[in-house]
C-alpha cells in the first residue's frame, strides 16, 4: 500500500511561485495515475492537474493552465506541482492522490490513495 506525503506549501504574495512535492513510500508510483486536488474553505474539492503513470500525458484545469506544471520522477517516487503566477484564488489546501485506473476521460481517475494536505495561501 502506497503512502503519500505532500509538502512545499506556504504563504506567498500574488505573482509568486511555489513547488509542491508528493513523496511516496511503500511502493512504486510508476503504476499509478497521479494528480493534485485542492479545496478552499467553503468550496468543494476540485481536481487541479493529473499526469499519466508514464508521464506521457498531462491535464490541467482551465484556471491553472499556463501557470501550473505537473511532473513526476518515478525513479525518485515523487510527484511535483510547480505553481507560478499564483493568485489569491489559488488559496486552498492541496492534496496529492494516486489511482490505479484511469477514468473517462483518463484524467478523471478515482484516487485510491491520498496524501495529507499542504496549505497554499496567496495574498494580494
Amino acid at each position: 500500500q502506497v503512502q503519500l506525503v505532500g509538502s512545499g506549501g506556504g504563504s506567498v504574495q500574488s505573482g509568486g511561485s511555489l513547488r509542491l512535492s508528493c513523496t511516496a513510500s511503500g511502493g512504486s508510483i510508476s503504476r499509478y495515475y497521479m494528480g493534485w486536488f485542492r479545496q478552499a474553505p467553503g468550496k468543494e474539492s476540485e481536481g487541479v492537474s493529473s499526469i499519466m503513470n508514464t508521464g506521457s500525458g498531462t491535464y490541467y484545469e482551465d484556471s491553472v493552465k499556463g501557470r501550473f506544471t505537473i511532473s513526476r520522477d518515478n525513479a525518485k517516487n515523487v510527484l511535483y506541482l510547480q505553481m507560478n503566477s499564483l493568485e489569491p484564488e489559488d488559496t486552498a489546501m492541496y492534496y496529492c492522490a494516486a489511482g490505479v485506473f484511469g477514468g473517462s476521460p483518463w484524467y478523471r481517475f478515482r484516487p485510491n490513495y491520498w496524501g495529507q494536505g499542504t496549505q497554499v495561501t496567496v495574498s494580494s
Side-chain angles (χ1 to χ4, degrees), residues 36-59:
W36 292 93
F37 296 74
R38 67 185 179 186
Q39 186 166 23
K43 295 187 178 180
E44 293 187 358
S45 174
E46 64 173 347
V48 174
S49 183
S50 302
I51 187 167
M52 284 185 168
N53 51 351
T54 59
S56 59
T58 57
Y59 163 81

Side-chain angles (χ1 to χ4, degrees), residues 22 29 32 35 39 46 52 59 62-63 65 93 102 107 119:
C22 177
I29 66 170
Y32 297 108
Q39 186 166 23
E46 64 173 347
M52 284 185 168
Y59 163 81
D62 284 347
S63 69
K65 281 181 182 176
M93 188 71 78
Y107 48 83
Q119 178 69 39

Side-chain angles (χ1 to χ4, degrees), residues 96-120:
C96 59
V100 176
F101 301 107
S104 179
W106 69 267
Y107 48 83
R108 300 292 185 201
F109 70 92
R110 185 174 73 87
N112 297 100
Y113 306 105
W114 291 90
Q116 94 290 1
T118 185
Q119 178 69 39
V120 172

